[in-house]
Amino acid sequence: MTDMFDIFIIGGGINGAGIARDASGRGLRVYLAEKGQVGSATSSWSSKLIHGGLRYLENYEFKLVAESLREREVIIKIAPTITKPLPFVIPHSKKLRSKILIRLGLFLYDNLGGKTKIPKSSKINFKINYTDILQKKFSEGFQYYDVQVDDKKLVEMNIDDAIKMGATIVENRKVINAKRVNHHWEITLDNNQKVNSKALINAAGPWINEIINNVLKVNAKKSIRLVRGSHIITKKLYDEEIAFTLQNDDDRIVFVIPYKDEFSLIGTTEVDVKSPDNPSISDDEKIYLINTINNHFIKQISQEDILDTFSGIRPLIEDFKDASKVTRDYIFDLNLENKNSPLLNIYGGKLTTYRKLSEKVMEELTPYLPNTKTKNWTASKKL
Ligand SMILES: Cc1cc2nc3c(=O)[nH]c(=O)nc-3n(C[C@H](O)[C@H](O)[C@H](O)COP(=O)(O)OP(=O)(O)OC[C@H]3O[C@@H](n4cnc5c(N)ncnc54)[C@H](O)[C@@H]3O)c2cc1C
């Protein structure tokens, strides 16, 4: 019989990379195929934050926020060279959220994640702070902390570790077919190479249903909603090492984040799209982001100030709400048509929760892969 892997992973984004690292460290034989380069899709088009998601508290997503805040703590510890805590300033606007609501949200944000070295939130007076950045109509606001990350590096570091522990990672190889043969999976790559594996994981991010429909040819259990988020990059709009969380009239928020020393990263938007391929920003999105800046900052910008843009597709679990209210949590769909050859489809997720997600994937699959070392290890071992 030809080589048999324990786990085959479709997709080398943060989720696939995290699972490859975790599984290899448990002594499993792992094969990961990525159709482009690892970390080159959604996982490098994010806002580059390891964050609890302050805004999700409005949607009562306490469990997700608590898990994300705990993970924030873990990721700073295991990836200190590519993460950095950053203060986020929220200008208060009477028309939008009340002060009480924001203070309650920040209290929860300070405490839901348990013990932390990250500073707590505070009130801030704009009559003496940031007077040269914010317009005079903002007299007070709040400050809290989140963590900035190099998202692509985070993927690459997980992949490097997986390789060191024996995983096979192939790039520029698309999975074109996967079927159960006897008691295992036979996966076909676009060079017609065939790979055998006991378990199969679909970690294709926004391409998840494309894999389910065209590669696995089974019925999708969940429907997903593809929502584009775009960022613009300008020369830095101010010198301070702080980010802003700007509230818009439509209830959405936009971040302004210091980026690579010289730039400001401004995003994001939410636009429903049909295809996960080749996302790019529309003029309307550019105008929306420019207007957000111009409604808050003294410095006014126009399309000419945009140096670069990038867009990514959020694969959200469809629950027929406004895009900003749809959960950012992940769910698994475990297919056990044959218990010897489990299939796990991963829906949704965030950069922030990839490590915990990977751990839960292993818990889910361990009963079907009896050689798996069960001890969780990724929270304490530096990348
Ligand atoms: C605009 C935006 C901002 C965001 N900001 C944040 C943030 O600040 N913090 C945060 O925590 N989260 C954020 N997120 C969410 C986060 O980026 C995603 O949840 C995460 O990157 C998804 O990772 P993934 O591995 O599931 O998908 P991806 O990174 O898309 O990886 C899936 C991979 O599968 C590959 N693939 C697809 N089909 C095949 C095939 N047939 N064969 C082989 N490979 C295949 C693709 O090429 C791709 O590389 C943001 C998302 C967006 C869109």
Side-chain angles (χ1 to χ4, degrees), residues 220-280:
K221 278 264 174 62
K222 297 259 166 237
S223 72
I224 58 159
R225 175 145 166 214
L226 302 179
V227 178
R228 184 173 69 221
S230 297
H231 291 83
I232 57 173
I233 296 167
T234 63
K235 265 217 222 136
K236 67 178 172 186
L237 299 177
Y238 48 84
D239 288 326
E240 287 80 347
E241 265 298 290
I242 53 164
F244 283 89
T245 301
L246 304 179
Q247 305 178 74
N248 267 334
D249 291 347
D250 60 1
D251 260 5
R252 295 195 60 260
I253 53 153
V254 167
F255 295 121
V256 186
I257 305 169
Y259 185 55
K260 295 191 174 170
D261 296 331
E262 290 170 51
F263 307 103
S264 290
L265 177 66
I266 303 160
T268 105
T269 54
E270 279 167 344
V271 181
D272 281 292
V273 292
K274 293 262 179 300
S275 160
D277 295 318
N278 307 318
S280 71

Side-chain angles (χ1 to χ4, degrees), residues 11 13-15 34-35 42-43 46-47 49 175 211 349-352:
I14 190 62
N15 287 334
E34 162 56 50
K35 71 176 169 151
T42 326
S43 299
S46 80
S47 299
L49 298 177
V175 175
I211 299 290
K350 278 156 55 80
L351 211 60
T352 307

